[in-house]
Amino acid sequence: MTVDAAATLIGSARSAVALTGAGVSAESGIPTFRGEGGLWTKYDPVKVSSIDAFLADPTAYWEVARERGGLAQAARPNAGHEALAALEARGRLHAVVTQNTDGLHQAAGSKRVVELHGSGRTVECLACGAREPRSDVQARLEVEMPPRCRTCGATLLKPTVVFFGQAMPPAAVREAYALAEQADVMVVVGTSLVVYPAADVPLAAVRAGARLIVINAEPTPFDRLAEVVIHGRSGDVLPRIVDLIGG
Ligand code: OAD
């Protein structure tokens, strides 16, 4: 059985590393970007979250973020996040590299989390650099659109997430590649693997000799490179792997 094979690989790994994406948080009620019901089936990502579009019209971004950001604020970690945290706590998983900006891995107790696309929990004013918690900005969207900086009054408040057209945080990228190159097992969970350079992280691991496990609701372009492919929900599959590996 494939779940057994995944448990055997992770259970005997010297350094297993996970790369996660929006699918891991789907069972927490945060819609994914692609795939069934994905955000980008309703909106054009270049219009909503590219840096050029944002600078031209922050309102368009915040109108979408009012809904999705609200869901992310309210979301709690699910069984998939908890399973990854449990694997780390038991010494079976070295780190989680994530494309997610929702902070749910940390909320579940994962300690080493590399955020490739930044964090949606903080908002920064592009005019004066002041920062404030996302929850504060999110709370005033009903009465203030677009939201204004509390310090300078500008309407260029942007979450500290990476938008299309922006570079990824260099330190996070370096750490992700270093982890990938040292990994002997790479577990990819809940990502369509179509956004680069994040999708290059598991490729770097495979190039360096790691064995690849893919756990995703739908097929991915890397399934053919994987030793184990499980098409299922991370909140179902990961806890079963934890149970099979045991304490
Ligand atoms: P996507 O939305 O592209 O892919 C999510 C994948 O998760 C899809 O292939 C779904 O089939 C799968 N999925 C859905 N529910 C699942 C579940 N319960 N268990 C397992 N898999 C499930 O998300 P990402 O690959 O993370 O970029 O997207 C990458 C980047 O594109 C995001 O980080 C974001 C976006 O534009 C930025 O914000 C810069």
Side-chain angles (χ1 to χ4, degrees):
M1 251 213 21
T2 49
V3 176
D4 293 280
T8 303
L9 271 184
I10 297 170
S12 59
R14 174 182 43 77
S15 177
V17 171
L19 172 77
T20 66
V24 167
S25 295
E27 289 158 82
S28 293
I30 306 176
T32 58
F33 297 98
R34 301 171 190 79
E36 212 188 320
L39 193 68
W40 297 154
T41 61
K42 284 198 279 178
Y43 300 103
D44 176 349
V46 176
K47 284 194 187 135
V48 173
S49 67
S50 73
I51 188 67
D52 290 344
F54 175 80
L55 292 172
D57 184 10
T59 303
Y61 171 79
W62 283 109
E63 290 286 2
V64 175
R66 176 151 61 183
E67 181 189 335
R68 193 169 196 280
L71 292 172
Q73 290 290 317
R76 303 302 314 144
N78 65 55
H81 298 106
E82 281 159 9
L84 290 172
L87 287 174
E88 184 185 8
R90 295 176 191 183
R92 302 295 188 176
L93 186 71
H94 193 181
V96 175
V97 177
T98 189
Q99 298 163 85
N100 298 345
T101 59
D102 53 35
L104 291 181
H105 285 302
Q106 295 91 327
S110 285
K111 299 282 178 259
R112 187 155 181 198
V113 181
V114 181
E115 292 180 311
L116 285 177
H117 292 163
S119 167
R121 303 246 151 190
T122 303
V123 170
E124 182 178 21
C125 174
L126 298 185
C128 78
R131 289 187 168 210
E132 62 176 313
R134 170 70 171 266
S135 50
D136 292 2
V137 177
Q138 199 72 33
R140 60 182 192 264
L141 290 179
E142 295 304 326
V143 292
E144 196 178 77
M145 184 58 76
R148 284 185 179 280
C149 174
R150 284 288 183 256
T151 304
C152 76
T155 54
L156 286 175
L157 286 182
K158 178 188 163 292
T160 54
V161 302
V162 177
F163 277 18
F164 289 105
Q166 288 193 297
M168 303 205 305
V173 173
R174 272 197 303 276
E175 191 178 358
Y177 277 100
L179 285 163
E181 280 155 13
Q182 287 157 20
D184 58 346
V185 173
M186 184 84 209
V187 193
V188 169
V189 194
T191 167
S192 58
L193 291 168
V194 296
V195 173
Y196 284 79
D200 194 39
V201 170
L203 290 181
V206 169
R207 278 195 297 269
R211 300 161 88 179
L212 182 65
I213 301 171
V214 174
I215 302 167
N216 200 59
E218 296 169 53
T220 79
F222 293 2
D223 287 5
R224 63 190 174 79
L225 299 176
E227 193 161 325
V228 180
V229 178
I230 303 172
H231 291 150
R233 290 152 59 102
S234 48
D236 294 332
V237 175
L238 289 171
R240 283 164 59 203
I241 291 175
V242 173
D243 286 348
L244 284 169
I245 293 175

